[in-house]
Amino acid sequence: MSSKAAPDVVLIGAGIMSATLGVLLKKLQPELTIEIFERLDVIAGESSDAWNNAGTGHSAFCELNYTPEKPDGTVESSKAAKIAESFEVSKAFWAYLVQEGYIKSPESFIRSVPHISFVWGGPNVTYLQQRQKALEGNALFKGMQYSEDHATLAKWMPLVMEGRDPEQKVAATRMEAGTDVNFGALTRQLCTYLYNQKGVKIYTAHEVRDIEQEEDGRWSITVKNATTGKKRTLKTKFVFIGAGGGSLPLLEKSGIPEGKGFGGFPVSGQWLICNNPEVIEQHGAKVYGKAAVGAPPMSVPHLDTRVIDGKKALLFGPYAGFSTKFLKHGSFMDLPLSIKYYNIRPMLAAGFDNIPLTKYLIEQVRQSPEDRMEALRAFVPQAKMEDWDLETAGQRVQIIKKDPEHGGVLEFGTEVVSAADGTIAALLGASPGASTAVSIMLDLLNRCFKTQMNTPEWKAKLKEMIPSYGQKLADTPGLCDEMRSWTGQVLKLNVEEEVAK
């Protein structure tokens, strides 16, 4: 086993999170040395890949699970507002990178695509009306249109309305400011930038096998080369575990007290992907519906226009499933091996409290092709089976946390877990994930690089990269408009040229 010089920072996993953190750190402190380790032989091959990502361009414009209905019939909008704000921060950072020439072509990873929420049935229509009221006063949702008129909706989404019962009570909202983001393409461009920087090394087909803290506070990392089988150890001052579903096992190996009590609940997914170019051309939006009772958030049904590697695609789903793997390219032993003495109680308690979810997943796994087509036809009434192919999507691991009242609770968000000394952090969870990567990494920097974040130099650099840094766009409508205008221009998000047209 060989040992090499110690980098300042080690990033585990070459996905959107590590790539974002790496670029932020390199811009804030150029002299930092960074090494990135990816277990696959490609960059962004797991959760960040376009075909694996359950939702792209998450900005809370159309995802109804971010605006739950309260017992009194009104709608809670705080989570949607937070996600929308975070997405604007991401766009600002990307616009800065494009403007500075670090990313050459914004069209390679982001396009304008309208975001639509669509519901049917009296109670759901009432819910969407309440949601519109809750959001319409927020600057982040400026321009949201609402309609119950079949003819209007047919213009917004002809494929969805064609063949639909004219008497069916329907409603939809539309945000033209919506986007489609290919996080795989973006991650690869961020990693290309990093690769070309002095002091940065990226290793693919290298798996981190162990993490252990030394007496001096540094971390000893054991890495195995999947090609040669050779192992080496290296030491570093700071570790970020951004390995998607693989983060939990590595967090457990670190042994930090803050990581105790966390468990993981894996959820897999499948897509129906349209193979008929004529059908694909009839649709140009992301249309989200309401999730079934007991369904996990990443299983909110949606008919999704995407641009992947320059080609327009149409996907429906995702259909949820269950696998004991924590990664799409993982092991069936991932879940069993993640169970430890300190998280078995939270995991059992969360399982007991989420019996409807378990029942839902079993039903999803047992679905026939006809069952899947029935779900699709709720969105596309005239869908034909021969126009759609079933493909496996990515793997997600939901967080199970200790809870003093229930013993353990299943969380459907993302969470940064960091050590008290700030030398290691891990990202757990899934939705909304990639779209809020910049805000999540800024939160991590505030925890783990607190002293530096409070220096005038870092503050000035952050303000240069994200002009709205330190301000809330929801509270400053003028700044929100100004930021959207700037990012739209730089990222070429022109609604006149949107994919829908």
Side-chain angles (χ1 to χ4, degrees):
M1 187 182 288
S2 63
S3 181
K4 291 189 178 181
D8 296 315
V9 172
V10 166
L11 308 177
I12 303 174
I16 186 63
M17 296 296 174
S18 291
T20 299
L21 180 58
V23 174
L24 281 168
L25 283 171
K26 203 62 182 167
K27 296 306 298 178
L28 289 166
Q29 195 167 326
E31 68 273 16
L32 280 177
T33 54
I34 300 172
E35 293 195 15
I36 303 172
F37 295 98
E38 167 57 49
R39 64 190 290 272
L40 298 181
D41 58 2
V42 294
I43 301 294
E46 278 281 352
S47 299
S48 299
D49 181 74
W51 294 110
N52 293 339
N53 205 327
T56 58
H58 269 303
S59 46
F61 290 161
C62 59
E63 301 91 340
L64 300 179
N65 53 301
Y66 298 145
T67 48
E69 189 172 6
K70 294 190 280 190
D72 65 358
T74 59
V75 168
E76 173 57 56
S77 61
S78 59
K79 185 174 184 178
K82 183 180 178 182
I83 292 169
E85 182 97 27
S86 293
F87 189 66
E88 294 301 324
V89 170
S90 291
K91 278 167 52 186
F93 181 59
W94 303 336
Y96 164 79
L97 295 175
V98 170
Q99 193 167 263
E100 295 298 309
Y102 304 135
I103 292 178
K104 300 300 180 189
S105 170
E107 305 98 314
S108 63
F109 73 91
I110 189 167
R111 303 284 184 112
S112 288
V113 177
H115 284 199
I116 296 174
S117 300
F118 175 61
V119 299
W120 54 90
N124 289 335
V125 169
T126 300
Y127 159 77
L128 199 64
Q129 290 170 346
Q130 292 300 317
R131 181 179 183 269
Q132 172 75 354
K133 286 180 184 176
L135 297 174
E136 62 187 358
N138 189 312
L140 292 159
F141 296 88
K142 180 182 177 181
M144 180 177 280
Q145 301 168 267
Y146 176 89
S147 180
E148 298 174 21
D149 178 58
H150 276 242
T152 300
L153 301 192
K155 292 178 182 177
W156 290 358
M157 43 184 182
L159 199 63
V160 172
M161 296 305 293
E162 189 178 353
R164 190 169 295 277
D165 180 357
E167 299 301 315
Q168 185 181 40
K169 193 167 177 60
V170 294
T173 58
R174 173 183 168 99
M175 279 288 287
E176 293 205 8
T179 58
D180 173 64
V181 183
N182 183 333
F183 284 101
L186 174 60
T187 301
R188 286 185 283 274
Q189 291 185 66
L190 294 177
C191 286
T192 297
Y193 165 76
L194 285 170
Y195 180 80
N196 290 319
Q197 300 307 299
K198 185 179 178 182
V200 179
K201 295 178 181 177
I202 301 176
Y203 299 91
T204 55
H206 278 66
E207 183 175 10
V208 174
R209 303 300 295 269
D210 202 11
I211 306 175
E212 189 176 352
Q213 193 166 30
E214 303 283 308
E215 288 186 6
D216 64 2
R218 292 191 302 169
W219 289 90
S220 176
I221 313 289
T222 303
V223 184
K224 181 180 179 181
N225 184 322
T227 306
T228 65
K230 288 184 179 179
K231 290 183 181 179
R232 75 175 175 101
T233 59
L234 65 154
K235 299 188 190 305
T236 185
K237 300 172 190 172
F238 176 75
V239 182
F240 170 62
I241 308 172
S247 291
L248 178 60
L250 290 171
L251 176 63
E252 291 178 336
K253 286 183 178 182
S254 75
I256 62 170
E258 294 82 358
K260 299 286 171 69
F262 282 96
F265 184 82
V267 178
S268 61
Q270 294 177 310
W271 290 110
L272 282 176
I273 299 177
C274 187
N275 59 39
N276 187 331
E278 291 182 10
V279 175
I280 295 170
E281 281 307 311
Q282 290 179 57
H283 192 69
K286 294 181 182 293
V287 179
Y288 276 64
K290 285 194 80 174
V293 176
M298 82 292 296
S299 294
V300 173
H302 51 290
L303 186 66
D304 196 346
T305 288
R306 295 198 182 173
V307 179
I308 301 176
D309 301 326
K311 186 177 179 183
K312 188 176 176 182
L314 181 60
L315 292 72
F316 178 78
Y319 299 93
F322 178 77
S323 165
T324 55
K325 291 182 179 183
F326 277 3
L327 291 161
K328 187 175 181 178
H329 302 282
S331 164
F332 287 110
M333 291 302 293
D334 288 343
L335 177 58
L337 291 174
S338 76
I339 299 172
K340 310 294 181 184
Y341 72 90
Y342 48 74
N343 67 12
I344 191 166
R345 182 170 178 263
M347 290 180 76
L348 288 172
F352 183 77
D353 285 345
N354 286 276
I355 290 173
L357 172 60
T358 306
K359 180 174 178 286
Y360 170 80
L361 292 174
I362 291 170
E363 290 172 349
Q364 288 277 294
V365 169
R366 294 174 61 189
Q367 276 191 329
S368 67
E370 288 75 20
D371 292 331
R372 295 189 190 95
M373 285 305 297
E374 185 180 345
L376 172 59
R377 287 184 182 126
F379 276 75
V380 185
Q382 296 187 336
K384 297 175 183 176
M385 191 174 289
E386 61 266 26
D387 291 339
W388 300 82
D389 299 319
L390 186 67
E391 299 287 348
T392 301
Q395 191 79 3
R396 299 290 181 271
V397 178
Q398 304 304 320
I399 312 165
I400 295 174
K401 292 174 64 175
K402 274 184 182 177
D403 181 80
E405 189 175 332
H406 295 276
V409 293
L410 185 64
E411 297 280 343
F412 289 113
T414 49
E415 179 152 347
V416 173
V417 181
S418 56
D421 63 5
T423 60
I424 189 169
L427 183 75
L428 303 178
S431 182
S435 294
T436 59
V438 179
S439 291
I440 292 171
M441 291 302 103
L442 289 174
D443 174 47
L444 184 150
L445 290 172
N446 276 312
R447 294 181 187 207
C448 300
F449 295 81
K450 197 168 187 177
T451 302
Q452 297 95 316
M453 287 289 279
N454 285 320
T455 62
E457 293 80 11
W458 276 40
K459 283 183 177 179
K461 192 64 184 179
L462 285 165
K463 194 78 174 172
E464 179 189 336
M465 293 190 286
I466 304 161
S468 62
Y469 181 72
Q471 298 172 274
K472 287 192 71 173
L473 297 180
D475 299 336
T476 48
L479 180 62
C480 184
D481 289 345
E482 188 181 324
M483 289 296 294
R484 278 201 176 145
S485 175
W486 170 63
T487 58
Q489 184 179 3
V490 175
L491 298 175
K492 301 182 181 179
L493 302 177
N494 189 334
V495 293
E496 297 299 321
E497 300 169 4
E498 66 195 19
V499 172
K501 295 175 181 177

